[in-house]
Amino acid sequence: MDLIQKALAEGRTMLSEFEAKQVLAAYGLPVTREYLVSTRDEARDAARKIGGPVVLKGSDALVAHKTEKGWIVADVRNEEEAVQAFDRLTGLPDGPRQVLVQEMIRGKRELVVGLTRDPQFGPSVMFGLGGIFTEILRDVAFRVAPLTKADALDMMAEIRGHKILDAVRGMPPADKDLLADALVGVGRIGLEHPEVQEIDVNPLILDGSRPVAVDALIVLKKD
Amino acid sequence: MDLILQQKLNRMFSPRGIAFFGGVNTPASFGHLVLLSQMRYGYQGRLYPVSEKGGTVAGVPILKSLAEADGPVDLAAVSVPASAVPEVLRQCLANGVAGVQVHSSGFGETGEAEGRRLQDELKAIANQGLRIIGPNCFGLHSPAGGITVLPGSDFSKEPGGLALISQSGGVATDFGYEAARAGLRISKAASFGNGVDVDAATLLEYFAHDPETKVIAAYIEGVPDAGRFLELLKATTPRKPVVVWKAGLTPLGRRAAQSHTGSLAGAADLWTGALRQAGAVSVQGLDEMMDALVGLHYFRNRGSRVALVGGGGAIGVYSSDLAYRHGLDLPAFSEETQAELRRHFPTPGNSMVNPLDTGTPVLDLKILKNICRIVLEREPVDLLLVILLLRPIEREINNFMTMMGLPVPAAGSYLEALVEPLAGLRGETGKDVAVVLDNRAHLAQDIEVEAVARRVAPLFQARGIAVFSDAKRALGAVRLARRS
């Protein structure tokens, strides 16, 4: 993919969230609607085009953990608030030059999808419970790429919290078919792009039944 | 698989002659005991101990060089010091030996430069056409070929369908005895140690194609090419079940993980996922491995619906808890079945639902046989598990009989009387039957109870009835062997 080669040519070891989502979308992972903006007018325009509440995130390919840096403004209700949020982020000391305006996904169920490159097995796909407590819950399953759709469905059944994917508390069941295709797709990224070292899609939120990648990270090989 | 490799391994597992290098003149040395072990096991082919010193060992003449052998040599057991191994292997290669098992240590496992250099030298000799098992291993065992490992001179001589791939010699030895205890018979077993030439993947491929082997067990610590091993597993499991005990953790390298995925991807998690993906049964520990193999061998239905019959309410309750945790099903017996069962019980108060509490652990044999028949004939279960408490059956009752001046039944007679009826029901109904011989007798004078258990277990096993030492392991076997 061109944008991976471009990032490598620039000496980067990470794709920006905006870039990472383009890679993921190309492999069948549903991602948030979003625009990368550099001016107040663009921010206003993006908020209008998306409609409904949006999230603004400082965008910098070198910053992996935006929450810790205070680079996120959530629940932005209208165009005016979008401009204010843009000003706030770009006005931070060492703040971002570009800002991502993205649709706000409100689902309560947060999942994680990832790719790691194991020295023994090669690219391996992870699926499990996501959100900020991923490492504490450690409720994840792994499969070695290439994955079959059956492997992907098996991973969903394997995690302890698998019932979160069913119809719970008035929420519809997750679209496991779409989710399985996404997991197969993430495995394919690992196989087709040896320069991709790790992928983290966290959280992948269930918007009703539809999984949507809300944040994403792609780490590239340093050499 | 490669036909020449397959033929060489066939020759090694059923050798017409075995050469022995190292320690043959030194009583009680490892090499000496390797030779005695083969003799004691009853190896029928020719023995060729080799040493420049000559002489005899256990009545067998020692050859000064392998060239003096007057018949074909298919296998050599090598126990000379590491530095002398390459020279011995070159002698074997020159004399048409199919393959060797190198018992000696002092190679790659030392982590030292000299050990690694010697291991590379062995690899170079293997490339010239000599198959090498080891180094740092116990070697091969095959009842059909009449060969055993050390220790293992009293392994069963009866061949069966179970193959073992083991990176560890100790596990191979323990496995030989545990398999016999479980009533399982071995086709071939290989302790391959450092696996310089014939490694876990090669053995897996060989056993997958071996017509005698029906089920494969593997104990592995590390695999040089995990991808290839996984592909072979995937190709094998649809035809033959493979039980894998992966011990230790693979090094994940020094890469500092920058993502959640990287930090969560412990080697154990990756192996668990990979083994499931390949359709293998993943176990931890020898007991769990044996339980899986017992389940795969004895349970024809490999289902998860269990009927439980036993004396004592608590056994039923905790077994139900275990079944629940294992995701097994203890379906409640129908009203009609419960009514039918109740007709056979002299006293009220026992639960007839499933688990069926027989009240007394020494239920009248006729009643016990009847209720087993009712359950197996009427209920849609895959397996009937009968829990038998040996201490009350073999001790408690006898003590009271003696006090009352009544004749004491012969040791083991209660259990023996159950073998044929249960085997008959298993045959008639097509449902599986297993027994738990639960022995809590511990006093020195109660040693006979253990003797009864050991004598009776093979009677059940010979009739297709699995025997377990406790309900927990029995239910574990159901879980591990069930078709998902």
Side-chain angles (χ1 to χ4, degrees), chain B residues 419-442:
Chain B
V419 174
E420 284 314 310
L422 290 179
L425 286 171
R426 176 180 175 274
E428 284 168 43
T429 62
K431 290 168 185 164
D432 295 314
V433 179
V435 296
V436 171
L437 300 184
D438 188 312
N439 179 20
R440 305 285 163 184
H442 67 283

Side-chain angles (χ1 to χ4, degrees), chain B residues 190-205:
Chain B
S191 145
F192 67 89
N194 296 7
V196 65
D197 174 39
V198 177
D199 60 6
T202 307
L203 288 163
L204 178 59
E205 193 178 15

Side-chain angles (χ1 to χ4, degrees), chain A residues 86-145:
Chain A
F86 177 86
D87 288 344
R88 209 170 103 200
L89 290 173
T90 50
L92 286 170
D94 292 322
R97 276 162 300 160
Q98 288 186 305
V99 170
L100 200 54
V101 182
Q102 78 185 195
E103 67 173 314
M104 184 154 156
I105 303 293
R106 287 194 175 274
K108 288 190 170 64
R109 295 175 288 179
E110 298 193 336
L111 307 171
V112 62
V113 169
L115 179 91
T116 184
R117 214 169 265 285
D118 181 71
Q120 290 228 320
F121 291 113
S124 305
V125 177
M126 181 182 85
F127 171 77
L129 296 189
I132 55 171
F133 297 121
T134 301
E135 267 111 340
I136 295 167
L137 294 171
R138 277 197 80 89
D139 191 7
V140 290
F142 287 88
R143 292 293 183 273
V144 178

Side-chain angles (χ1 to χ4, degrees), chain B residues 279-300:
Chain B
V281 180
S282 175
V283 296
Q284 283 296 314
L286 187 59
D287 287 350
E288 206 182 23
M289 173 178 261
M290 297 320 299
D291 294 342
L293 295 169
V294 166
L296 289 167
H297 179 77
Y298 289 93
F299 301 160
R300 296 161 298 178

Side-chain angles (χ1 to χ4, degrees), chain A residues 118 120 135 142 144 198 200, chain B residues 223 252 259-261 264 273 277:
Chain A
D118 181 71
Q120 290 228 320
E135 267 111 340
F142 287 88
V144 178
E198 294 171 57
D200 239 7
Chain B
V223 180
L252 265 176
S259 67
H260 295 284
T261 306
L264 284 165
Q277 199 172 358

Side-chain angles (χ1 to χ4, degrees), chain B residues 117-138:
Chain B
R117 189 193 65 73
L118 282 167
Q119 188 149 322
D120 287 343
E121 207 174 335
L122 262 54
K123 208 170 277 182
I125 296 170
N127 287 339
Q128 295 171 50
L130 183 74
R131 297 283 62 90
I132 301 173
I133 304 280
N136 186 30
C137 76
F138 281 9

